[in-house]
């Protein structure tokens, strides 16, 4: 058996606390990432029949109660929305868009978004609604 003196340097590093911290940070990152993907919360209008429009690559244009526009979760102006949708359309000619308008938003804002979609020639459009009780 080898005996070490008290003043000899300690050459083993305990990495367990560092790994614990890394795992905690990883879990926090995963939770925050999935929370931000949900989009902007709006109160959708209710209908009796709701079709599922979930497709791969579908982007959402959200109109809040205050009339603010969002592309997925990012706030945009109407000009920025037109530019970004044009870029998406040129990258993917089959681009689908779902318009999520708050039930209390002004109808003029919804029409503005639909006009922008028509201008950039996006024809696969869905209107998001909630299920009526």
């Amino acid at each position: 058996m080898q005996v070490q003196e008290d003043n000899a340097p300690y050459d083993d590093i305990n990495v367990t606390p560092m790994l614990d911290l890394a795992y905690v940070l990883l879990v926090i990152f995963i939770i925050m990432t999935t929370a931000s993907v949900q989009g902007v919360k709006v109160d959708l209008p209710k209908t009796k029949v709701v079709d599922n429009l979930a497709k791969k690559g579908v982007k959402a244009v959200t109109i809040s109660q205050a009339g603010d526009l969002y592309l997925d979760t990012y706030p945009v102006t109407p000009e920025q929305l037109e530019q970004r949708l044009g870029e998406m359309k040129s990258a993917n000619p089959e681009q689908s868009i779902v318009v999520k308008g708050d039930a209390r938003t002004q109808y003029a804002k919804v029409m503005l978004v639909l006009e922008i979609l028509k201008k950039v020639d996006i024809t696969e459009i869905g209107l998001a609604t909630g299920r009526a009780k």
Side-chain angles (χ1 to χ4, degrees), residues 37-95:
V37 173
Q38 301 300 321
V40 179
K41 183 155 178 63
V42 292
D43 181 25
L44 295 173
K46 307 292 187 240
T47 61
K48 297 285 184 196
V49 178
V50 178
D51 289 334
N52 188 0
L53 298 173
K55 283 199 247 177
K56 188 176 182 181
V58 174
K59 297 290 182 181
V61 176
T62 307
I63 307 162
S64 69
Q65 180 181 357
D68 300 323
L69 299 176
Y70 297 87
L71 181 57
D72 287 335
T73 57
Y74 304 105
V76 291
T77 63
E79 294 80 21
Q80 291 172 331
L81 179 65
E82 184 175 345
Q83 176 193 3
R84 291 187 184 160
L85 289 175
E87 293 168 359
M88 287 179 195
K89 176 67 175 181
S90 52
N92 178 9
E94 301 296 318
Q95 181 67 53

Side-chain angles (χ1 to χ4, degrees), residues 63 99 106-118:
I63 307 162
V99 178
Q106 292 181 359
Y107 190 66
K109 284 289 188 176
V110 176
M111 289 307 299
L112 172 69
V113 170
L114 292 175
E115 285 176 7
I116 291 172
L117 290 170
K118 185 175 182 178

Side-chain angles (χ1 to χ4, degrees), residues 2 6 11 103 113 126 133:
Q2 188 179 12
D6 287 339
D11 60 353
V113 170
K133 296 177 183 176

